[in-house]
Amino acid sequence: MSFGPDRETGGWRMLAGLLAESHLMPLESLPAKARENAAKAGFPQVLIYLGDLQRQVLRLLTGQDGDGEEHRARLPVQGSVAGRAFQHGQILPAGPAGADGRDWWVPLLDGTERLGVLRVTSVHDDDRAREAVERLAALLALILHSRRETSDLLARTERVEPLNVAAEMQWKLMPPRVYADGRVVIAAAMEPAYRISGDAFDYATDGPLVHLSVFDAMGHDTAAGLSANLAVASCRNTRRQGGGLVACGEAVEAALIEQYDQQRYVTGVLATLGTRTGVLSWVNRGHHPPLVIRGGRWATQPHCPPAHPMGTGLGLESRVCREQLQPGDRVVLYTDGIVEAGGVGDAQFGVERFTDFLVRHHADGLSVPETLRRVVRAVLEHHDGRLQDDATVLFCQWLGPEPEPGAEAADLAGVPESGRPATAAGDRGTP
């Protein structure tokens, strides 16, 4: 689809101008520069709203230095048009068209990670204008992502309350909460987001392999956060030197014993998914086993004899277990805070309720990140908004075998019709 000559020129001037200015632009200038450059393409007004850590509210990025923080505009994700655009990744009208043009809510996506939404006023209301505003949103998402590690303004905007020290440390350690590459879609969440201490998750790609892990450290204090940090770092270090699942678990154990002399321990699941075959390999170190959700119809909890928690030095054998996935399957790793969260009358959320919730939302066809957001919301509501233990969930959906060279990439929201059979492999996982 092409623009008319004038509108096409305006669209490219918008993108080129914003890109050129972004290289030496502090984040505080982004709202003004976005409006200035968007006007060249027929968008006289642009407002940037960012999702908070829990993805429950959208907060206006004002460009201020933090003064008047408590007055920053907020929109609820649940029950608002802006929230629907955020949840479903769709451009939605913000109201009826007026004399000054049409207002839209536009998803702000970095790949598949939902950063927030834009409210954009457009003088045109057609497919060409929508194409141009999608490009604007994509560029703004890239700019915001590039500032994530260096901007306190961005960090403050994504928080509705202060983090404790352990949570500050944990969120800095974690990889992005959402990842997708045409082979897998991964999403993770940690609660209580502002008071997390001993939980952690990790994932990484390595050629045809995807590494996944969750950790749950003993305790609910800053020391628990330090133990979880040590576990993640030890696992990554060993994995990046070519160590397999068993070796990673043993490395975590050795590091914890050296540091704490068997006074602290960490449970966890360390897993590897072969994206060419769909074979999930994992080691269980005193933790809840993974769940596999299939086709929105049923779930299974594959059995794997657990070894002892890392850091206890009990000497139980670590075994690599395997499960053959089908295209579209979702693997769920979680910590005990999810299923053991007590509600009214101290009734636990429980594995059965958790599994039923996952199956129902899988059947509804919701994306992995949106399913996760709703799971976390349900757990928090069950516990009246306050958890007594850390609760972490990591989803990984296998989309199917990689397409042959030159073939069209798999749709992230779709499910391929068939996969190839898998064979067993060593403890690094099956590619």
Side-chain angles (χ1 to χ4, degrees):
M1 182 182 297
S2 61
F3 293 92
D6 293 338
R7 290 174 64 183
E8 183 174 15
T9 299
W12 286 114
R13 286 176 57 217
M14 170 185 71
L15 297 177
L18 186 56
L19 179 61
E21 290 182 308
S22 71
H23 296 302
L24 297 175
M25 177 179 63
L27 186 73
E28 288 75 7
S29 300
L30 182 59
K33 293 298 183 182
R35 289 192 298 271
E36 178 184 319
N37 285 281
K40 302 171 185 176
F43 306 124
Q45 181 62 275
V46 175
L47 298 175
I48 303 170
Y49 287 83
L50 300 177
D52 74 313
L53 276 179
Q54 296 173 304
R55 299 306 191 237
Q56 299 301 324
V57 298
L58 300 163
R59 308 188 70 201
L60 180 66
L61 180 67
T62 64
Q64 298 171 351
D65 61 4
D67 293 337
E69 179 81 11
E70 67 277 8
H71 302 300
R72 179 169 284 120
R74 300 185 187 185
L75 299 169
V77 169
Q78 207 68 28
S80 69
V81 178
R84 289 203 301 274
F86 176 82
Q87 291 177 61
H88 301 291
Q90 300 174 340
I91 297 178
L92 296 175
D100 297 329
R102 161 76 76 179
D103 277 13
W104 289 323
W105 290 112
V106 183
L108 194 56
L109 301 172
D110 176 35
T112 55
E113 183 178 8
R114 303 174 299 175
L115 302 182
V117 294
L118 303 179
R119 179 160 182 153
V120 179
T121 300
S122 175
V123 298
H124 302 288
D125 185 11
D126 54 26
D127 288 344
R128 288 183 292 177
R130 288 171 178 261
E131 184 178 357
V133 81
E134 286 177 343
R135 291 174 176 171
L136 172 63
L139 179 54
L140 286 172
L142 287 173
I143 294 171
L144 287 164
H145 179 78
S146 72
R147 302 299 194 275
R148 178 170 278 169
E149 300 300 319
T150 58
S151 172
D152 279 358
L153 173 62
L154 184 56
R156 284 195 300 269
T157 304
E158 292 180 337
R159 303 174 184 185
V160 296
E161 61 181 274
L163 271 67
N164 64 10
V165 173
E168 190 78 58
M169 183 168 55
Q170 294 305 81
W171 284 116
K172 182 69 174 179
L173 173 72
M174 298 302 100
R177 284 170 288 179
V178 180
Y179 171 83
D181 62 11
R183 305 171 302 172
V184 294
V185 181
I186 299 171
M190 299 193 301
E191 289 290 343
Y194 298 92
R195 297 290 182 269
I196 197 77
S197 55
D199 276 11
F201 67 86
D202 194 26
Y203 66 83
T205 61
D206 182 8
L209 301 178
V210 175
H211 303 290
L212 309 163
S213 57
V214 295
F215 300 96
D216 185 355
M218 163 193 170
H220 309 292
D221 51 12
T222 303
L226 291 169
S227 299
N229 267 255
L230 185 58
V232 171
S234 299
C235 182
R236 287 175 178 169
N237 181 260
T238 303
R239 190 181 71 221
R240 291 166 180 173
Q241 296 180 62
L245 297 173
V246 171
C248 287
E250 293 302 319
V252 173
E253 167 125 306
L256 288 168
I257 290 176
E258 178 183 3
Q259 186 68 35
Y260 297 112
D261 192 23
Q262 295 179 262
Q263 298 302 304
R264 286 192 170 268
Y265 63 84
V266 175
T267 69
V269 170
L270 294 76
T272 298
L273 172 62
T275 59
R276 291 173 180 164
T277 62
V279 172
L280 177 72
S281 306
W282 79 96
V283 167
N284 186 336
R285 298 300 302 258
H287 200 81
H288 288 281
L291 286 170
V292 176
I293 311 296
R294 179 162 295 162
R297 298 184 302 275
W298 59 275
T300 183
Q301 196 166 38
H303 176 68
C304 185
H308 56 281
M310 294 167 285
T312 59
L314 297 179
L316 300 179
E317 179 187 5
S318 292
R319 293 182 54 183
V320 178
C321 300
R322 296 182 179 85
E323 180 79 6
Q324 175 63 62
L325 303 184
Q326 294 182 10
D329 281 358
R330 293 181 178 181
V331 177
V332 185
L333 308 181
Y334 59 97
T335 62
D336 56 11
I338 288 289
V339 294
E340 295 177 6
V344 178
D346 291 329
Q348 293 186 347
F349 196 75
V351 175
E352 184 175 348
R353 188 195 305 244
F354 180 51
T355 302
D356 180 66
F357 192 96
L358 294 174
V359 170
R360 285 188 289 108
H361 282 76
H362 185 117
D364 289 343
L366 293 173
S367 68
V368 170
E370 181 57 22
T371 299
L372 177 63
R373 191 190 71 83
R374 297 189 186 196
V375 166
V376 170
R377 187 165 176 261
V379 171
L380 289 172
E381 288 179 349
H382 178 78
H383 199 57
D384 198 25
R386 300 188 68 85
L387 296 173
Q388 300 303 313
D389 192 7
D390 295 342
T392 296
V393 187
L394 175 67
F395 283 9
C396 177
Q397 182 172 24
W398 181 53
L399 301 177
E402 298 177 65
E404 296 298 324
E408 183 177 357
D411 183 349
L412 291 179
V415 177
E417 295 180 354
S418 62
R420 295 184 298 216
T423 58
D427 88 314
R428 282 200 79 217
T430 303

